[in-house]
Amino acid sequence: MSPSAPAFTNGTLPFEVPSLDKPCETWYRIYGSLSSTDNKHTPLLALHGGPGFPSDYMSILGPALAPRPVIIYDQLGNGRSTHLPETMGDTSFWTPELLLSELQNLVTGIGLDTRPGGYDVLGHSWGGMLAAMHAVTKPKGLRKLVLVSAPASMPLFLQEQAKLRANLPVDVQEVLTKHEKEDTTDSKAYHEAVQVFNERHMCLITPMPEEFQRSEDWIEKDPTVYHTMNGPSEFHVIGTIKDWSIVCQIPNISVPTLLLNGRHDEATDATMQPFFEGIDKVKWVTFENSSHTAMFEAPERFNTTVAGFLAE
């Protein structure tokens, strides 16, 4: 931790899952202080993507948005929270509703919903989808919402992925199709072909930032959540989120909302347009030289944009 970075504290919170006979915990980290006496700024809860891509890469927001308190956490089955490898492939267990319940448990457990001035939520990718699910419930204390590279509908997202995939080199497309048809998506050739897509639409920085790589490494250690809820790649989604959509519920989001994405993002403008059309108080900023990870590709403008919106 650099001398200018805010101090942080780590903690865990019990999360009861009725269908399990083992205790579960959600790991979280708080940058700064949640005490309204010590810090008058509204805290920001940051939700990581995936599903199954832990919060390591979101850690850059703590120092970037100081002195605002920032909370990151690892969703169940991810990072330092409880892992459940025995549930690999259990599509009745790994649902968006499970992780929404965990989010609501965390908000209550660390007292965000009772803090004077409330709290803000920023969600990236899948985390943005989860944040939108949270917002439509009109939770007590939620003040503002930031959706970063978050599609409003997975069917719409997959339509857009097909367009992006069609622009890949023909030989790369052939490798992807071959291994998906043969169910050999765990092969080295398939992973190398996926990387070609990722370098165009996931992160334009080569090599990928250390924090982002640490999150990616967790999928290698335990792919349970990503493979069960998503699938083997961003564009071959065969898990429990494949039919997910919040389009019909978007008008229920009543808090001021900021939409962010990159010009080269896998979350194209079309995937986020329903949020722009359906939310009453909404702003939209696109980073011209970024893809899915503008917080790394255009950090100064990203941080200034988020901080400015939250301070309004």
Side-chain angles (χ1 to χ4, degrees), residues 228-246:
T228 306
M229 294 191 70
N230 186 84
S233 69
E234 295 296 283
F235 43 78
H236 189 48
V237 179
I238 55 178
T240 53
I241 64 168
K242 67 180 185 299
D243 298 318
W244 180 91
S245 175
I246 202 170

Side-chain angles (χ1 to χ4, degrees), residues 58-269:
M58 302 295 277
S59 64
I60 63 171
L61 296 179
L65 298 178
R68 181 180 305 280
V70 175
I71 306 101
I72 63 174
Y73 77 102
D74 289 336
Q75 296 158 27
L76 186 67
N78 291 261
R80 287 131 295 207
S81 291
T82 301
H83 284 247
L84 301 165
E86 67 275 16
T87 62
M88 170 73 85
D90 188 344
T91 54
S92 65
F93 180 81
W94 289 109
T95 64
E97 290 73 23
L98 172 68
L99 299 184
L100 175 61
S101 176
E102 180 190 28
L103 167 58
Q104 294 169 335
N105 182 70
L106 178 67
V107 167
T108 301
I110 62 176
L112 292 180
D113 56 346
T114 57
R115 187 184 188 279
Y119 65 101
D120 302 324
V121 170
L122 178 151
H124 173 248
S125 194
W126 152 254
M129 296 157 62
L130 184 59
M133 291 173 65
H134 182 62
V136 300
T137 68
K138 299 184 183 296
K140 177 185 176 183
L142 181 62
R143 191 185 71 108
K144 289 188 177 182
L145 183 66
V146 182
L147 303 179
V148 185
S149 301
S153 157
M154 284 306 294
L156 180 58
F157 178 77
L158 291 174
Q159 289 178 23
E160 291 297 294
Q161 299 319 285
K163 296 176 184 178
L164 297 177
R165 178 169 168 160
N167 290 325
L168 296 175
V170 174
D171 59 330
V172 173
Q173 295 183 53
E174 290 174 346
V175 170
L176 293 171
T177 300
K178 173 182 182 293
H179 288 285
E180 288 166 1
K181 285 183 176 180
E182 297 175 358
D183 196 23
T184 52
T185 54
D186 57 349
S187 69
K188 180 181 178 182
Y190 185 79
H191 284 276
E192 289 176 345
V194 168
Q195 190 60 25
V196 175
F197 178 91
N198 289 346
E199 289 176 356
R200 293 185 177 200
H201 303 294
M202 179 66 73
C203 186
L204 304 180
I205 301 172
T206 304
M208 288 185 175
E210 178 186 349
E211 298 90 345
F212 192 82
Q213 187 61 56
R214 287 205 304 268
S215 288
E216 193 169 63
D217 289 345
W218 276 107
I219 296 181
E220 294 296 323
K221 297 175 185 177
D222 184 358
T224 301
V225 180
Y226 187 75
H227 284 189
T228 306
M229 294 191 70
N230 186 84
S233 69
E234 295 296 283
F235 43 78
H236 189 48
V237 179
I238 55 178
T240 53
I241 64 168
K242 67 180 185 299
D243 298 318
W244 180 91
S245 175
I246 202 170
V247 172
C248 293
Q249 297 173 276
I250 287 175
N252 291 327
I253 298 177
S254 57
V255 297
T257 301
L258 174 65
L259 307 177
L260 302 174
N261 71 332
R263 183 62 62 199
H264 309 286
D265 206 324
E266 64 176 15
T268 64
D269 288 356

Side-chain angles (χ1 to χ4, degrees), residues 11-24:
T12 57
L13 186 71
F15 174 50
E16 182 178 350
V17 183
S19 60
L20 292 179
D21 59 1
K22 65 183 287 186
C24 294

